[in-house]
Amino acid sequence: MMNSSSPIAFNPQAAANTVVLHGQATRRIAEQRAQLNASQQIADALALVSDSLAPQRLMVRAGDVICQAGARFDCLYLLNSGFVKIISLSSDGREQVVGLKFRGDWLGFDGIANQRYSCDAVAMDTGEIWAIRYDTLLEASLRRPALLGLLHQAMSREISNDRDSLMSVCTLPADARVADFLRYWADALAKRGLRTDQIKLRMTRAEIGNYLGMTLETVSRGLSRLAKAGLIEFAEGGRRDILIPEVDALRAFIQGGTAPAPALLQ
Amino acid sequence: MMNSSSPIAFNPQAAANTVVLHGQATRRIAEQRAQLNASQQIADALALVSDSLAPQRLMVRAGDVICQAGARFDCLYLLNSGFVKIISLSSDGREQVVGLKFRGDWLGFDGIANQRYSCDAVAMDTGEIWAIRYDTLLEASLRRPALLGLLHQAMSREISNDRDSLMSVCTLPADARVADFLRYWADALAKRGLRTDQIKLRMTRAEIGNYLGMTLETVSRGLSRLAKAGLIEFAEGGRRDILIPEVDALRAFIQGGTAPAPALLQ
DNA sequence: CGACCTTTTGATAGTAGTCAAATGAAGTGG
DNA sequence: CCACTTCATTTGACTACTATCAAAAGGTCG
């Protein structure tokens, strides 16, 4: 059952000949190319930073706090492996998961404006994080424009990402939001060259619910309904491992809102 | 007036002497200082950009599209006056107001990552916008580190802002979200040295609702309830002009959820 | 094994969405 | 200048989605 056969080692020509099938097939090829591309870009970016900045490498384990809201800003962090959640704290004590970070993502941009981090960043798994002094980075980027380009792209992506989150929360009903969360996670893995048919959630239902703006019970019910609809399956291991037989089916469900099956046909 | 001296010429001692008044009074003084400071920083930033980049000045009127999702990225825009809404469009046609921009705010950061803008930016009023070619900006910022610092601060602020929006949508009930929207707008005006006791909404109820993730009817009811509670008043002119007698009362309501008055006492 | 946390599921309540109608505001053309 | 059209806003009645409360089952770790 470990055939990650989302057509991995795939022959483009074989597909090129089957032009009859439009839509699904050709789309999947384009997607894979884009993902390989993205994966390569992330590797290149990491290599460039590693070479030109010799960042300090930190090993973290689940629960470790990488940077803390209120602490003085001096470093940006680059995630080389592992998973990190970003938690924003309001003045009146509300707590909100505002982002999830994967390999190649940067942490700490929020600290630049006020010289203090405004969020906590907490590891959700063991991983390696590179600490890069901001002043060092600025200095180096004057000599190496590519570094500066990298930095700006990362910040730009973060802005776009945050907006997507807002759109998801504002426009989708609860079940679709849960589906979109799984799709987002699967996409993030795919962009990093990892298998996406099975994903291991590193968050409790409560944390997912917080991130999605709903209660833990609603998350649980949402997952149950998605499973009942055949859009996901739970691995035998435990309910934190989720199988996604067909990410496109999830996408269709998110768009269709209430029409899981019919949407598959068009 | 290109004094880029952020740490304004303010005398901390003057404020330090009024220790007797605690709570409201001292807080208001601190706030005003912060706002004057912010206002000055914005003016300084605009002056620096104007001096070192000679940006192209564009006049816009309500409804004008400043940049369009999908269009090729080449410019960042700096808002010198007026009000702008940022609209994100999903692949399946959902439309979402994801941000509001005021004097001193930048537009177009979302285009850096993919060389295409991912959002529409639409003027909500007459205003002046400065177009700055990104390549020109990069080049100039290599010679003038202050420019680069400005840019990064603006991007950092945008990231923090987006996260605050997400937190608001995820953690606050509808009425508090409406209140938070008004507070946000008032704060934005205050930071720019404008009066905040009366604000003119430049959006329909439908647009506000879209931004806040609720229907236009809920916005309308929320405003009515806030008015009934005495937290806001409608100007005679029309229901788009809103008086906020006491912004702190709004803040208390947002925090207290349901306890508008009591929260003021602590 | 027992203590503790997470997850699921059911029953019920409450908030916000939907549908609908009336009022208000604004602009158009006679 | 005033009907007339159109759009924005308010408010009510009803529905539906999601939150809350509660109990039981599943997992984890000492």
Side-chain angles (χ1 to χ4, degrees):
Chain A
M1 63 81 73
M2 22 156 22
N3 174 12
S4 85
S5 72
S6 326
I8 289 298
F10 195 78
N11 178 357
Q13 289 224 303
N17 292 334
T18 63
V19 193
V20 206
L21 315 169
H22 44 306
Q24 295 279 6
T26 53
R27 173 156 172 230
R28 199 158 301 150
I29 291 171
E31 255 171 37
Q32 275 182 28
R33 189 166 16 147
Q35 285 164 7
L36 279 176
N37 207 332
S39 173
Q40 191 57 49
Q41 279 181 6
I42 290 170
D44 291 346
L46 285 164
L48 176 57
V49 168
S50 178
D51 290 348
S52 49
L53 290 168
Q56 185 188 0
R57 285 163 162 81
L58 306 169
M59 295 304 299
V60 296
R61 297 197 301 175
D64 287 357
V65 177
I66 294 145
C67 67
Q68 200 153 21
R72 183 147 197 85
F73 167 80
D74 54 352
C75 282
L76 291 174
Y77 299 90
L78 182 50
L79 190 46
N80 181 51
S81 67
F83 303 87
V84 173
K85 60 183 172 186
I86 308 297
I87 300 165
S88 180
L89 302 146
S90 78
S91 54
D92 51 320
R94 283 172 289 147
E95 202 169 297
Q96 175 68 39
V97 177
V98 294
L100 302 174
K101 300 296 172 185
F102 303 87
R103 169 175 155 90
D105 287 336
W106 294 69
L107 317 176
F109 289 143
D110 53 275
I112 294 176
N114 297 120
Q115 294 298 301
R116 294 197 175 278
Y117 300 106
S118 63
C119 295
D120 289 349
V122 181
M124 295 192 293
D125 195 2
T126 55
E128 184 182 287
I129 290 172
W130 299 351
I132 300 154
R133 287 194 55 85
Y134 180 57
D135 47 15
T136 309
L137 173 61
L138 281 186
E139 195 190 322
S141 64
L142 293 182
R143 281 176 283 112
R144 286 192 182 239
L147 257 185
L148 193 59
L150 213 66
L151 183 68
H152 290 177
Q153 278 174 33
M155 295 180 88
S156 174
R157 249 195 309 276
E158 173 141 357
I159 288 169
S160 293
N161 243 337
D162 290 352
R163 289 177 177 172
D164 288 346
S165 293
L166 188 63
M167 160 121 62
S168 176
V169 170
C170 283
T171 65
L172 297 178
D175 285 7
R177 238 142 71 207
V178 173
D180 195 47
F181 167 74
L182 296 174
R183 179 211 55 79
Y184 170 65
W185 197 297
D187 276 356
L189 295 182
K191 284 206 193 88
R192 286 153 182 87
L194 303 169
R195 45 185 308 190
T196 65
D197 52 340
Q198 171 162 1
I199 67 184
K200 180 183 188 60
L201 298 181
R202 278 150 177 98
M203 309 164 72
T204 65
R205 303 291 191 251
E207 282 176 313
I208 297 171
N210 179 290
Y211 180 49
L212 298 177
M214 63 185 74
T215 61
L216 66 97
E217 292 95 330
T218 302
V219 175
S220 179
R221 284 186 235 271
L223 289 170
S224 297
R225 278 189 286 258
L226 290 176
K228 210 166 296 173
L231 294 170
I232 65 171
E233 295 167 31
F234 292 107
E236 324 79 67
R239 284 149 222 73
R240 290 242 185 137
D241 293 309
I242 291 182
L243 306 170
I244 306 180
E246 198 57 71
V247 180
D248 282 336
L250 267 188
R251 290 203 182 87
F253 173 74
I254 294 162
Q255 294 188 12
T258 57
L264 284 172
L265 298 177
Q266 30 165 297
Chain B
M1 73 107 62
M2 25 152 18
N3 174 14
S4 84
S5 70
S6 330
I8 295 304
F10 192 80
N11 181 358
Q13 291 223 300
N17 290 335
T18 63
V19 193
V20 201
L21 314 171
H22 47 300
Q24 294 279 6
T26 53
R27 173 155 172 230
R28 198 159 300 150
I29 291 171
E31 255 171 37
Q32 275 181 27
R33 186 172 18 154
Q35 286 164 6
L36 278 175
N37 207 330
S39 172
Q40 190 58 50
Q41 279 183 5
I42 290 170
D44 290 345
L46 285 164
L48 176 58
V49 168
S50 178
D51 290 348
S52 49
L53 292 167
Q56 185 188 1
R57 286 162 161 80
L58 305 170
M59 296 303 301
V60 296
R61 297 196 303 175
D64 287 356
V65 176
I66 295 146
C67 67
Q68 201 153 19
R72 182 146 200 86
F73 168 80
D74 53 352
C75 282
L76 292 174
Y77 299 91
L78 182 50
L79 190 46
N80 182 51
S81 67
F83 303 87
V84 173
K85 60 183 173 187
I86 308 297
I87 300 167
S88 180
L89 302 147
S90 78
S91 56
D92 52 319
R94 283 170 289 147
E95 202 168 296
Q96 176 68 37
V97 177
V98 294
L100 303 174
K101 300 296 172 186
F102 302 87
R103 171 175 154 89
D105 287 335
W106 294 71
L107 317 176
F109 289 143
D110 53 274
I112 294 175
N114 298 120
Q115 293 298 300
R116 293 198 176 277
Y117 300 105
S118 62
C119 295
D120 289 349
V122 180
M124 296 191 291
D125 195 2
T126 56
E128 185 183 287
I129 290 172
W130 299 352
I132 301 154
R133 288 194 55 85
Y134 180 58
D135 47 15
T136 308
L137 174 61
L138 281 186
E139 194 190 321
S141 64
L142 293 181
R143 281 175 284 112
R144 285 190 183 241
L147 257 186
L148 194 59
L150 213 66
L151 182 70
H152 290 178
Q153 278 172 33
M155 295 181 86
S156 174
R157 250 195 309 276
E158 173 140 354
I159 288 170
S160 293
N161 243 337
D162 290 351
R163 289 176 177 173
D164 287 347
S165 293
L166 188 64
M167 159 121 62
S168 176
V169 170
C170 283
T171 65
L172 296 178
D175 285 8
R177 237 142 71 209
V178 173
D180 195 47
F181 167 75
L182 297 174
R183 179 210 56 79
Y184 171 66
W185 196 297
D187 276 356
L189 295 183
K191 284 205 192 89
R192 285 152 183 89
L194 303 169
R195 42 184 313 186
T196 65
D197 51 342
Q198 170 161 2
I199 68 183
K200 181 182 187 61
L201 298 181
R202 278 149 178 100
M203 309 165 72
T204 65
R205 303 291 191 253
E207 282 176 314
I208 297 171
N210 179 289
Y211 180 48
L212 299 178
M214 64 185 75
T215 61
L216 66 96
E217 292 95 331
T218 302
V219 175
S220 179
R221 284 187 236 271
L223 288 171
S224 296
R225 278 189 286 259
L226 290 176
K228 210 167 295 175
L231 294 169
I232 64 171
E233 296 167 31
F234 292 107
E236 324 80 64
R239 284 149 221 71
R240 290 241 186 140
D241 293 308
I242 291 182
L243 305 170
I244 306 180
E246 198 57 69
V247 180
D248 282 336
L250 267 189
R251 290 205 183 86
F253 173 74
I254 294 162
Q255 294 188 11
T258 57
L264 283 173
L265 299 177
Q266 35 164 293

